[in-house]
């Protein structure tokens, strides 16, 4: 297949391009890093890029928690307007296959169980609690501590920051496009992606980038809260092969199918910082600081992706972090 990869020169997109080439596909890179006119918000540029294309892997996006609400308009413009322009052009060009870079952030907090009340959904954490170092969400019924678990794709969505809201809107737009055109859409809800070519020194990168950038400067990684936040760190090459598998899958026409895309091995943020610093320190510093909009625990059940698409991650946590600690990074 001839596949348009939006954001194909970026961190994840460049690895997707390589994975598609390895599977015998012909990727076409569409990225403002290569061409300032290659903006997904430009209908004419997108229409030209779709010529002769069989499918689209949509990776272009403004990512991360950013700098607060001041970036809201830019997030919506790049992520949601850009997706709407792309989908409109796909409808006009009769391109009927889409793989979307989704995100686990659409869930908000992860899955929690109360010993007395079963599965519950805690609300946003209170600033007073965070400032006092009380980081664990409490049962909304009895106030007791909760046990975190794995989130399935059927979990309720609850985006808790601007970026998360735009990622959910992307899925809704893709679902509407699929229903209208009879196309097939797959959203791969990425967990915490890390690996070579990750951007450095930018507020829009993930926590792995923050820690790796600090170490490159000879500084100790600064771990927020108490470092016990649970995440699923998935290697970028595994995410890339998931895109190839989703592209080749016989997905349902007229609908969007979402797949959690994670390693299946939850680790704490503190463990990740320690693993990165193991080779060339300094040791991480647990600060007790916090960021509004961050969630405490979010780890996925990725078994549906394994079962339905035959995908599995190949890079383990220890090996992946060892490689990432030495790998080159790219400028913001």
């Amino acid at each position: 297949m001839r596949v348009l990869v939006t954001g194909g020169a970026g961190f994840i997109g460049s690895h997707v391009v390589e994975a598609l080439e390895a599977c015998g596909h012909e990727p076409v890179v569409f990225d403002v890093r290569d061409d300032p006119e290659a903006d997904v918000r430009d209908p004419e540029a997108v229409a030209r890029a779709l010529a002769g294309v069989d499918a689209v892997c949509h990776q272009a996006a403004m990512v991360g928690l950013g700098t607060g609400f001041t970036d809201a308009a830019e997030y919506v413009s790049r992520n949601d307007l850009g997706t709407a322009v792309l989908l409109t052009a796909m409808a006009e060009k009769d391109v009927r296959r889409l793989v979307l870079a989704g995100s686990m952030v659409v869930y908000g907090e992860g899955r929690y169980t109360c010993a007395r009340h079963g599965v519950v959904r805690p609300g946003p954490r209170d600033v007073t609690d965070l400032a006092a170092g009380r980081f664990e969400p409490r049962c909304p019924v009895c106030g007791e501590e909760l046990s975190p678990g794995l989130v399935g794709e059927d979990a309720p969505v609850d985006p808790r920051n601007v970026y998360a809201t735009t990622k959910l809107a992307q899925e809704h737009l893709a679902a509407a496009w699929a229903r209208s055109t009879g196309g097939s859409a797959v959203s791969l809800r990425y967990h915490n992606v890390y690996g070579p070519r990750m951007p450095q020194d930018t507020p829009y990168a993930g926590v792995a980038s923050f820690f790796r950038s600090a170490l490159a400067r000879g500084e100790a990684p600064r771990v927020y809260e108490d470092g016990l936040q649970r995440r699923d760190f998935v290697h970028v090459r595994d995410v890339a092969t998931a895109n190839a598998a989703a592209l080749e899958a016989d997905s349902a026409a007229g609908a969007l199918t979402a797949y959690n895309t994670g390693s299946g091995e939850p680790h704490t943020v503190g463990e990740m910082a320690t693993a990165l610093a193991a080779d060339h320190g300094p040791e991480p510093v647990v600060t007790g600081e916090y960021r509004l909009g961050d969630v405490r625990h979010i780890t996925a059940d990725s078994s549906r992706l394994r079962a339905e698409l035959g995908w599995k991650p190949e890079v383990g946590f220890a090996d992946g972090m060892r490689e990432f600690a030495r790998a080159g990074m790219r400028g913001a």
Side-chain angles (χ1 to χ4, degrees):
M1 281 185 282
R2 183 176 169 87
V3 184
L4 183 69
V5 183
T6 69
F11 165 46
I12 297 175
S14 64
H15 287 276
V16 170
V17 166
E18 292 174 355
L20 294 178
E21 289 174 336
C23 293
H25 300 295
E26 180 187 355
V28 178
V29 174
F30 185 79
D31 196 308
V32 291
R33 296 173 183 84
D34 285 350
D35 178 359
E37 296 183 2
D39 190 327
V40 289
R41 296 169 293 184
D42 182 340
E44 293 183 1
V46 172
R48 288 194 299 269
L50 285 170
V53 161
D54 304 301
V56 174
C57 279
H58 184 29
Q59 308 294 318
M62 186 174 178
V63 301
L65 194 58
T67 58
F69 204 81
T70 57
D71 298 318
E74 190 70 9
Y75 272 108
V76 172
S77 176
R78 291 182 180 273
N79 296 355
D80 299 337
L81 175 60
T83 298
V85 169
L86 173 66
L87 293 172
T88 299
M90 289 175 66
E92 293 172 349
K93 295 288 186 179
D94 200 33
V95 180
R96 294 290 179 265
R97 186 176 291 269
L98 171 72
V99 177
L100 172 68
S103 176
M104 55 81 186
V105 295
V106 300
Y107 297 118
E109 283 285 355
R111 185 179 189 272
Y112 292 90
T113 303
C114 173
R116 294 173 57 190
H117 298 100
V119 176
V120 296
R121 288 192 62 79
R125 293 182 292 172
D126 185 84
V127 174
T128 303
D129 286 337
L130 293 171
R134 296 187 292 268
F135 303 120
E136 293 293 342
R138 299 279 178 166
C139 174
V141 181
C142 67
E144 293 299 313
E145 287 193 12
L146 301 172
S147 298
L150 300 180
V151 180
E153 289 89 349
D154 57 352
V157 291
D158 184 17
R160 296 192 176 184
N161 56 55
V162 173
Y163 170 61
T165 303
T166 65
K167 296 306 289 184
L168 182 57
Q170 283 185 311
E171 289 194 357
H172 288 321
L173 287 166
W177 165 84
R179 286 192 297 270
S180 175
T181 65
S184 67
V186 172
S187 178
L188 298 176
R189 291 175 174 170
Y190 301 160
H191 275 247
N192 289 70
V193 186
Y194 73 96
R197 302 176 213 152
M198 200 170 193
Q200 64 180 343
D201 295 326
T202 167
Y204 301 98
V207 65
S209 174
F210 296 162
F211 293 165
R212 180 66 178 78
S213 296
L215 288 166
R217 297 189 302 268
E219 300 172 2
R222 294 178 60 81
V223 180
Y224 281 8
E225 302 186 15
D226 55 6
L228 299 181
Q229 311 93 301
R230 287 162 53 96
R231 297 290 188 269
D232 186 326
F233 299 101
V234 58
H235 195 278
V236 66
R237 288 197 298 273
D238 287 331
V239 166
T241 60
N243 274 269
L247 181 71
E248 296 170 348
D250 186 18
S251 302
L256 178 137
T257 305
Y259 292 104
N260 291 332
T261 307
S263 71
E265 299 180 1
H267 290 274
T268 68
V269 171
E271 286 176 329
M272 188 265 287
T274 299
L276 283 179
D279 285 337
H280 58 276
E283 289 295 309
V285 175
V286 178
T287 68
E289 299 173 60
Y290 61 90
R291 296 193 304 176
L292 291 177
D294 275 348
V295 297
R296 178 62 174 173
H297 304 295
I298 175 68
T299 54
D301 179 355
S302 299
S303 59
R304 180 185 293 180
L305 180 58
R306 290 163 170 75
E308 295 186 8
L309 301 191
W311 169 88
K312 65 177 182 178
E314 300 291 344
V315 184
F317 178 79
D319 289 342
M321 289 297 168
R322 190 176 303 114
E323 177 200 29
F324 182 45
R326 299 182 175 91
M329 300 180 73
R330 64 198 313 160

